[in-house]
Amino acid sequence: MWLLTALLLWVPVGGQVEPTKAVITLQPPWVSVLQDEKVTLLCEGPQQSGDNSTQWFLNGTAIQTSTSRYSITAASINDSGEYRCQTGLSMPSDPVQLDIHRDWLLLQASSRVFTEGKPLTLRCHAWKNKLVYNMLFYQNGKTFKFSPWNSELTIQKTNMSHNGIYHCSGMGRHRYTSAGVSVTVKGLQSSTPVWFNILFYLSVGVIFLVNTVLCITIHKELQRKKKWNLEISLTSDYRKKVNSYLQKDRNLEEEVKCLEQEEQPQERVHQKNPEGEQ
Ligand SMILES: *[C@@H]1O[C@H](CO)[C@@H](O)[C@H](O)[C@H]1NC(C)=O
Ligand SMILES: *[C@@H]1O[C@H](CO)[C@@H](O)[C@H](O)[C@H]1NC(C)=O
Ligand SMILES: *[C@@H]1O[C@H](CO)[C@@H](O)[C@H](O)[C@H]1NC(C)=O
Ligand SMILES: *[C@@H]1O[C@H](CO)[C@@H](O)[C@H](O)[C@H]1NC(C)=O
């Protein structure tokens, strides 16, 4: 029971103590790029002294790079996938999904999955940075922004209403339309179930309390029983011993008396003929 409590108490504490996750940032920040474009992944995390190497993983397989920067100079379809990184003293980072596209127009997002409150930047990007204008941004098929020249837009404080599939269109030689990109905004409540934590700590507290009370009562009970047993054994032993002592004493007394009674004539006998017995 105590071990269980100790374990329960240890687990959340251990959870807080565990090493921090490494973090991947993209430069430029887009999680999707067009073929032959340049993108750099940066890994940040606590390092061991004397060893600043970084491990990179693509789709779970280690890649031959040990620097904190992983540069892709001309992205190919084979660079698509799920990237993770890990530094000496960090946990592996959350994955970053990088997609390489072949298209005329691409809607780029700074992130695909994030928690509400975080900013989201979208960019309507043309192949080889060709000029496009009169851009339209769509969320779930509905236009929500017209932008004559600026290909970027930022939502500073996102909320659940920003969930959805985004795409854009822009005028070049004719109107081009991008593919859709799914953006998931996670609610704070669902990502960090505060009630669960509260419940967890509360139950641990209650278990601890119950344990303490139980332990104290058991301890007291045991001590009482021990005392009682001891008393019983003591008293009975004592009585027995006293009795036996008394008995012995009585016996002794009797013996002494007998001896005394016996001794006198014996002594007299002894005195009478001391060599007689030897
Ligand atoms: C580690 O850091 C040193 C100095 O800061 C640098 O010269 C070296 O290239 C780094 N090594 C790696 C693997 O990043
Ligand atoms: C991508 O990988 C496949 C094998 O996995 C290979 O055949 C192909 O040449 C690669 N393409 C590029 C552009 O590296
Ligand atoms: C990684 O997995 C994705 C699918 O999730 C796949 O499209 C991509 O080609 C894979 N990349 C490599 C390098 O295996
Ligand atoms: C979400 O944010 C938009 C502005 O970006 C705001 O108009 C809307 O009221 C917000 N919705 C909620 C539920 O907070």
Side-chain angles (χ1 to χ4, degrees):
M1 195 73 152
W2 273 96
L3 196 71
L4 196 74
T5 314
L7 271 175
L8 277 174
L9 283 172
W10 179 252
V11 163
V13 171
Q16 280 158 6
V17 164
E18 77 182 351
T20 47
K21 276 185 189 173
V23 175
I24 295 180
T25 42
L26 294 170
Q27 282 179 350
W30 319 115
V31 291
S32 51
V33 297
L34 292 170
Q35 208 173 313
D36 294 333
E37 286 181 335
K38 184 181 157 69
V39 57
T40 300
L41 293 91
L42 283 168
C43 184
E44 276 181 289
Q47 285 288 13
Q48 241 158 355
S49 56
D51 173 24
N52 52 359
S53 64
T54 303
Q55 270 186 298
W56 288 95
F57 303 93
L58 173 52
N59 286 354
T61 309
I63 39 183
Q64 299 295 319
T65 300
S66 61
T67 52
S68 59
R69 295 170 72 89
Y70 179 66
S71 291
I72 299 164
T73 44
S76 82
I77 302 296
N78 286 1
D79 293 316
S80 292
E82 202 181 70
Y83 287 84
R84 277 178 201 266
C85 77
Q86 186 171 16
T87 58
L89 293 174
S90 77
M91 298 277 287
S93 67
D94 285 332
V96 165
Q97 175 78 32
L98 184 69
D99 288 344
I100 319 296
H101 293 263
R102 284 184 66 157
D103 215 340
W104 288 106
L105 199 63
L106 174 70
L107 183 93
Q108 293 177 303
S110 56
S111 195
R112 270 190 219 88
V113 181
F114 51 91
T115 47
E116 66 178 317
K118 292 265 158 54
L120 170 67
T121 303
L122 301 171
R123 181 187 186 215
C124 199
H125 172 54
W127 166 242
K128 289 191 172 169
N129 276 324
K130 288 219 161 85
L131 183 71
V132 283
Y133 56 95
N134 287 354
M135 279 154 284
L136 285 164
F137 289 87
Y138 304 81
Q139 180 190 15
N140 297 327
K142 279 190 204 145
T143 329
F144 72 95
K145 174 89 178 172
F146 170 71
S147 178
W149 295 111
N150 192 354
S151 63
E152 270 185 49
L153 82 84
T154 298
I155 300 159
Q156 288 299 345
K157 214 167 149 53
T158 51
N159 59 43
M160 301 296 276
S161 74
H162 297 111
N163 262 301
I165 295 176
Y166 289 82
H167 79 273
C168 71
S169 71
M171 277 306 289
R173 269 190 291 160
H174 60 91
R175 185 157 281 275
Y176 297 102
T177 300
S178 79
V181 172
S182 171
V183 168
T184 307
V185 185
K186 290 190 289 184
L188 279 171
Q189 291 87 350
S190 61
S191 69
T192 26
V194 176
W195 61 268
F196 178 80
N197 276 346
I198 290 171
L199 206 76
F200 181 80
Y201 280 99
L202 215 79
S203 49
V204 168
V206 165
I207 289 172
F208 187 74
L209 215 89
V210 166
N211 261 3
T212 309
V213 167
L214 258 173
C215 189
I216 286 171
T217 34
I218 287 172
H219 193 69
K220 274 190 178 165
E221 192 71 19
L222 271 175
Q223 266 191 337
R224 218 168 48 132
K225 270 195 183 162
K226 234 192 232 168
K227 227 170 146 187
W228 199 58
N229 278 341
L230 211 72
E231 267 170 16
I232 287 177
S233 62
L234 264 180
T235 43
S236 56
D237 271 8
Y238 182 70
R239 266 193 215 127
K240 266 189 227 158
K241 271 186 189 158
V242 166
N243 280 346
S244 61
Y245 277 132
L246 281 175
Q247 198 74 40
K248 269 185 195 164
D249 276 0
R250 248 176 254 140
N251 290 350
L252 258 171
E253 267 172 45
E254 274 165 25
E255 267 175 47
V256 166
K257 266 182 204 162
C258 290
L259 274 174
E260 275 172 356
Q261 282 169 358
E262 279 172 23
E263 255 175 36
Q264 279 163 350
Q266 263 179 8
E267 263 176 38
R268 260 177 244 142
V269 173
H270 279 244
Q271 275 168 2
K272 268 184 185 169
N273 44 7
E275 274 117 304
E277 281 196 357
Q278 277 160 352

